[in-house]
Amino acid sequence: MKYAVIDLETTGHGIEDEIIQIAAVIVDEQLKVVETYNSFVKPSVEIPAFITSLTGIDEAIVADAPMLDDVILNVIPLLDDAVLVAHNAAFDAGFLNRALDQCGYLPFVGRRLDTIEMLRVLYPSISSYQLGVVAQLFEVSHEQQHRADSDAMATALIFIEMMKKLRQMPLLTLQRLSVLIDAGSDFGWLIQQTEQLVSSETALDSAEYDYYRQFALRAREWTEEKPPREEAAADLDISQLSFEQYLDMIQHNFKQKFPQYEERTAQVEMFHHVYNALSNDEHLLIEAGTGTGKSLGYLIPSLYYSIRKEAKVVVSTHTINLQEQLRHRDIPLLTEVLPFPFKASIFKGRGNYLCLRKFEAKVNGMEPISTNDDMLTRAQMVVWLNETETGDYEELNLSNRGAEYWSAVSSDADSCLNRACPWFKRCFYHRAKHESSIADVCITNHSMLFTDIHADHRLLPSYRHLIVDEAHHVEDVAGKHLGIQIAYLQLPQITTRLYKDSRTGMLLSLRSSLNEEVDDHKEAWIETIDAVIPQLQEIKDQWDALYELMFQLTSNGSEDNADTGGVVYRISSQELPKQWEAIAAAESNVHIELNSIITTVDKMLNDIKERAEESQSQALAVDINGAMRDLTRIKDELRIFVKLEKNDSVYWIEANPVYRFRSVQLYAAPVDVSEQLQKHFFDVKDSIVLTSATLTVQKSFQYAAEQLGLSGYEEQGRLKTVLLPSPFNYREQALVVIPRDFPVLKGASVSDKYIEKLAQSLAAAAVETKGRMLILFTSYRMLKMTYEPLKELLAGTDITVLGQGMDSSNRTKLTRRFLQHPMTVLLGTSSFWEGVDIPGDALVCLAIVRLPFQPPNHPLAEAKAELLLRKKQNPFMKLSIPQAVIRFKQGFGRLVRSAQDKGIVIIYDTRVIETYYGKHFLYSLPGPKIETMHADQMIVRMREWLNPAQVEVE
């Protein structure tokens, strides 16, 4: 048997398109490349410009190429008795068979393997299945992307690596995969073939894995985890080591490991400020800009303090991305340079961890696999168990349907059996919890801090010292967690898990399991299930009716949310809309029906837990109990929302006209969280350090202190504020250009004339910088309006235009494409203003189209403004300006990411120089060169700034 790895380049994806290049790489049974073939093909149609741009193949290259008939004649022998392999096999096989038919030959009907499908299952953690990205990951040379010969060879080498991995898998995993993957499929055939090969060659199970309940696991029992210094040799007595000596030892180790290492003054300052705050039981607000080395700036003093004082330090980040960066970059680095062993743990919300009991039940259960996607997701996770130490969702690259599947197998408190669970000693959630209890530093996220408050502090280990990174998000996260959010989809997702159709759902699985019971109550249990199933459909209809009424309310006078295309409607208890009576009646129906379902099912489940013998019945009863707790939460929160019970909160509805009532989300949030933050954190913790690159407005911490509830602490001697100097020379590295004659935008309406002028200016700047440009918008509508005109203006150049929501909504994918293709302009909205890291020459121009003011008509912003007015304060100066300045600073921070970066920021919003408040924005920047000029002078000035030597020569 041999494998024919093929790749085709074509004039397009349609049925009328033709092949312009075909390549094949033949791989034998021993996984060796034994033959290659490559030929261009002369098409009968013209090659489109976008295909030439993508592949580099133009009319000149194919002018003397053979016709399709001649090429196919050479390809047919290569396919004889071969398994066809391709990256996206459906595409290549489809074109190949059309070509064979066109030339008068029979189609290829042999087995075919898709390397994308194989990658999904065998490499469940890789972030992209794009051939170029995978080749880089596998360290496969692939210099000419989108050329058939290079693509085919890269695919062949990747296929060989996948086959090697498959043949080295534990036999137990292969046996699991052969059951999960449809035996009738070609991939299923390959798995079974490999299983037979491995079982004939393998006598012993590898000691590399832990084998338990017919799964091969990488992770061992977490009860074996020991504290970091329990068994370590006491070479260094930390009690005799001063903080200065400790820092000297780290610096020495850094210099040995990195000869180019240079001490950063701002980072050293941060070491001392953080350590002093922890030691003196003070709170600290510390702004540390890009390049300070902020993560190490707080981890290094925290670890010393924690170990020396035997006091747990908790570190909280806003994003899971930063948690992962600390896990994969900073912690391993510190392991090498710190003079003593330590343990830092990562602890996330429970839903981030796989529940092995639920997953086992899903894989072993009688519930049929409803889609091919479900089958692939289960297979992915079986392979992943060979590799994961953490069971953390973040490691998996699941499809959208796979993410739905995860919700059915993730850990949750309501269905946890704790020590009664057969998987308890291997449970990923309890592993993370145990590790956090024995760690010196526990790294969590802001959401978890507030979830821990709701759970009466039973989740995080007990702590008195807290470091908060990305602290400018704390107020927003607090508002969300101390408030309510009920999306339409929440209830349908739960009811679908309980009963999806006549074959699928936890209630049906329980019904089947109960048939195996010998208890005389089983008939009554089955009758209860049969009675509840129609009720679930009834509650779904009532839920739809309620949310349809909510949607109608939003369409009767809501404000447009420009960034999402959605609508927002505020509800005031002082002046309830006339439809509210109907909404309250619909909520009452939902409340009564949910009460009935929950009461009936809870009674049955309690009976089953006491009497049932089958472990399957017991496990399903626990999981259904978890779903009942979720329904109870929804029922209670919905009542609070409809009754508007919280006087200190603002209530509103959001929806999208395109998706109608299914898009409706109900929100309630406290208007002011400062007192709650004081109560739960600043009044009760010994020391809290809050850090971010953007905490100050006009070099002042006043806004941050007021929003976070820290007003008055400085006077009490319990708060210090520190603004660290930037390590970058912004005067030499960043030029801010403001075209002072650019038209001013007023309000949300944007004229075509303005867009035309903006697109022309952006296109001229993009040509000058050869792409490498990020354009930040405050509204998605304006981005869409600019996208096409800009694309047309740049059509004659080699510059690619990418738009958020146009080419992809995924920020990570768009950023990756931007980095892969240097001559690119990227248009982004809200999520691109922060957290995007594009260092070096990949980004040399940043355009800020408008100052990032929050929409003043958003219900939460309105309520905050009303509160300030009652206090006789100016909402614009106290709220709108500081929020916008912090966002503006975040956006500006995308440009200079290292000491070598140099670039230009264009601010098209002339309010920064024409209004009394403009100075708040410019004065908050870290000292770049700022120049105003006419728009037609910008390009010459940009050229001078970026290439001073070249301009001098001219």
Side-chain angles (χ1 to χ4, degrees), residues 528-571:
T528 300
I529 290 171
D530 290 343
V532 164
I533 284 171
Q535 277 188 285
L536 289 174
Q537 187 53 51
E538 178 66 24
I539 189 66
K540 170 76 168 53
D541 293 341
Q542 291 177 355
W543 185 258
D544 286 359
L546 171 64
Y547 271 75
E548 178 61 51
L549 287 170
M550 294 284 192
F551 176 73
Q552 287 170 12
L553 191 62
T554 66
S555 60
N556 287 343
S558 59
E559 292 291 345
D560 204 356
N561 183 329
D563 202 41
T564 61
V567 288
V568 180
Y569 184 85
R570 183 179 175 186
I571 302 148

Side-chain angles (χ1 to χ4, degrees), residues 816-837:
R816 189 188 302 122
R817 284 178 66 183
F818 183 84
L819 289 165
Q820 284 173 344
H821 304 286
M823 295 181 72
T824 300
V825 174
L826 175 55
L827 286 66
T829 58
S830 51
S831 63
F832 276 89
W833 283 77
E834 65 176 296
V836 176
D837 195 3

Side-chain angles (χ1 to χ4, degrees), residues 90-158:
F91 174 85
D92 292 290
F95 260 98
L96 179 65
N97 277 339
R98 280 209 300 277
L100 286 165
D101 180 59
Q102 188 182 327
C103 298
Y105 299 104
L106 291 171
F108 176 84
V109 293
R111 296 194 181 277
R112 57 170 91 154
L113 296 171
D114 188 344
T115 49
I116 294 179
E117 184 181 43
M118 292 178 68
L119 282 164
R120 272 188 68 181
V121 172
L122 301 180
Y123 293 86
S125 296
I126 63 174
S127 60
S128 169
Y129 304 117
Q130 189 187 342
L131 187 60
V133 177
V134 178
Q136 200 172 6
L137 189 76
F138 280 56
E139 297 181 348
V140 165
S141 176
H142 187 210
E143 291 171 7
Q144 281 192 295
Q145 291 188 36
H146 305 294
R147 279 291 185 97
D149 49 342
S150 183
D151 282 357
M153 183 54 78
T155 303
L157 296 174
I158 289 165

Side-chain angles (χ1 to χ4, degrees), residues 316 347-352 412-413 429 444-460 463 477-478 480-483 633 680-681:
S316 178
F347 193 36
K348 300 180 181 178
R350 191 160 193 156
N352 289 282
D412 72 279
Y429 170 74
T444 188
N445 52 63
H446 301 350
S447 290
M448 193 66 182
L449 289 181
F450 294 100
T451 305
D452 185 51
I453 290 168
H454 280 303
D456 296 323
H457 307 286
R458 292 193 308 270
L459 305 179
L460 290 171
Y463 67 96
V477 176
K480 284 177 182 166
H481 278 265
L482 298 169
R633 272 193 291 274
H680 294 298
F681 293 103

